Amino acid sequence: MRILGIFGTPEVIWDRDESLKDYNINSVFISHRSLSDSVIEKVHSEDAKVFAEIGIFVGKDTVERHPDLAPIGIDGKPLSPIDWYMGINPAIDWYRKELLSGIEYILGRYDIDGLWLDFIRYPCHWEVPDPKLEQSSFDETSLRKFEAYIGREVPGVTSRDKARWILDNRLEDWTKWKCFQITSFCKEVKEISVSLKPEVRLGIFSVPWREDQFDGGILKIIAQDFEALAQYIDLFSPMVYHLMCGFPLIWIREYSLYLKDKTKRAVVPIVQAVDEPSKIDNLEDILKTALDERLDGVIVFHTQAVFEDKTKVEALKRVFHEYI
């Protein structure tokens, strides 16, 4: 099935006395916090699928409640929030177990068709043309785990000393170890999913960087190793928000095809309908660019941004009906 999806609860459509079928929408991506039996049943009654989104290593409020989750930078201090965004250290065992327990509950409790992991990465506020690239996390837990990984003690007295030594002497190992933290989490989610509901598709919202961009930041900073992740991920959804990232329209297609070639998996780009940093006045072109025949569909981010604008509504309806 080629995905023609929206990100956000569909009530805004139903409140218009319309249905998903009126727009040829066959997939709805909903935050796990907004899941309910009634919404799921209604989406299914309209012959559409429900994919639950769950944020993984993110949460300013969570870090405020649990300071041990704060990512530590090379200066030995916690990274600062950027606007609404605050990343979480992926190497903290108790938090990983709590997340996996929550995922197990979602899979067991709700009749969903797929689960999409969001913020499944090391910290970075990437949705800008010139992202701030900060190495993390140099906390005691991560350093201890990394020492076990390389089989030796990291020299230095302070975390700052140790961070400097790692980046100067063992950056490749540090990068591989960080990527393993992300890939291993996806592996555990896949195992839970297969044991409970093998028919559920597992996807991720991935950062749209190539390995030759931002000094290799997709591995060194973000720690998303796409080829390794493809062992466990059924479908990749690169967040190709071209206006936010300062790329031309054609980048949506080019990057998505790059990722499909790299992973050999289904790729469904999620595209920007939000008016940021400037107004989206060409949603039809955006959708057609993403709906390349070599790709596997498109997701529109987000539902509210579309249905508060008549022009966007008409564009969505027109393009989606071309792909019946």
Side-chain angles (χ1 to χ4, degrees), residues 155-172:
V157 176
T158 67
S159 63
R160 185 173 183 173
D161 295 337
K162 294 182 179 184
R164 194 70 273 159
W165 185 87
I166 290 171
L167 298 180
D168 287 345
N169 298 277
R170 303 299 287 267
L171 177 58
E172 184 176 351

Side-chain angles (χ1 to χ4, degrees), residues 111-285:
D111 183 21
I112 59 174
D113 302 288
L115 182 71
W116 255 244
L117 307 180
D118 206 355
F119 300 94
I120 177 68
R121 55 185 170 83
Y122 269 77
C124 182
H125 184 60
W126 59 269
E127 304 97 324
V128 290
D130 186 22
K132 186 176 183 181
L133 306 178
E134 297 182 284
Q135 277 283 358
S136 65
S137 296
F138 300 100
D139 55 283
E140 290 184 9
T141 298
S142 295
L143 291 171
R144 185 174 66 253
K145 287 185 173 184
F146 181 65
E147 287 176 334
Y149 179 77
I150 62 174
R152 63 157 294 174
E153 183 177 339
V154 173
V157 176
T158 67
S159 63
R160 185 173 183 173
D161 295 337
K162 294 182 179 184
R164 194 70 273 159
W165 185 87
I166 290 171
L167 298 180
D168 287 345
N169 298 277
R170 303 299 287 267
L171 177 58
E172 184 176 351
D173 287 329
W174 178 249
T175 299
K176 289 179 180 177
W177 177 81
K178 286 172 63 177
C179 289
F180 176 74
Q181 304 311 305
I182 302 304
T183 302
S184 63
F185 187 86
C186 292
K187 178 177 183 287
E188 292 182 89
V189 174
K190 185 64 173 179
E191 289 170 348
I192 293 171
S193 176
V194 168
S195 68
L196 292 177
K197 288 183 178 174
E199 73 280 5
V200 164
R201 301 180 80 183
L202 180 61
I204 66 168
F205 291 110
S206 56
V207 174
W209 292 357
R210 297 173 182 253
E211 289 184 14
D212 59 357
Q213 291 178 301
F214 304 109
D215 190 30
I218 192 64
L219 297 175
K220 294 178 185 176
I221 304 297
I222 302 295
Q224 288 183 343
D225 181 341
F226 296 128
E227 290 166 301
L229 288 167
Q231 300 173 78
Y232 313 109
I233 300 302
D234 302 312
L235 197 153
F236 288 81
S237 293
M239 297 175 283
V240 280
Y241 305 148
H242 69 294
L243 279 186
M244 292 181 188
C245 297
F247 285 105
L249 185 65
I250 193 62
W251 169 74
I252 293 172
R253 176 183 296 155
E254 291 175 344
Y255 181 82
S256 299
L257 289 171
Y258 158 84
L259 186 61
K260 189 172 180 76
D261 180 66
K262 195 164 189 63
T263 62
K264 306 299 188 288
R265 289 290 190 178
V267 171
V268 178
I270 178 168
V271 299
Q272 177 183 349
V274 178
D275 295 327
E276 184 183 332
S278 57
K279 183 173 176 55
I280 294 284
D281 57 8
N282 62 337
L283 183 59
E284 181 168 352
D285 293 334

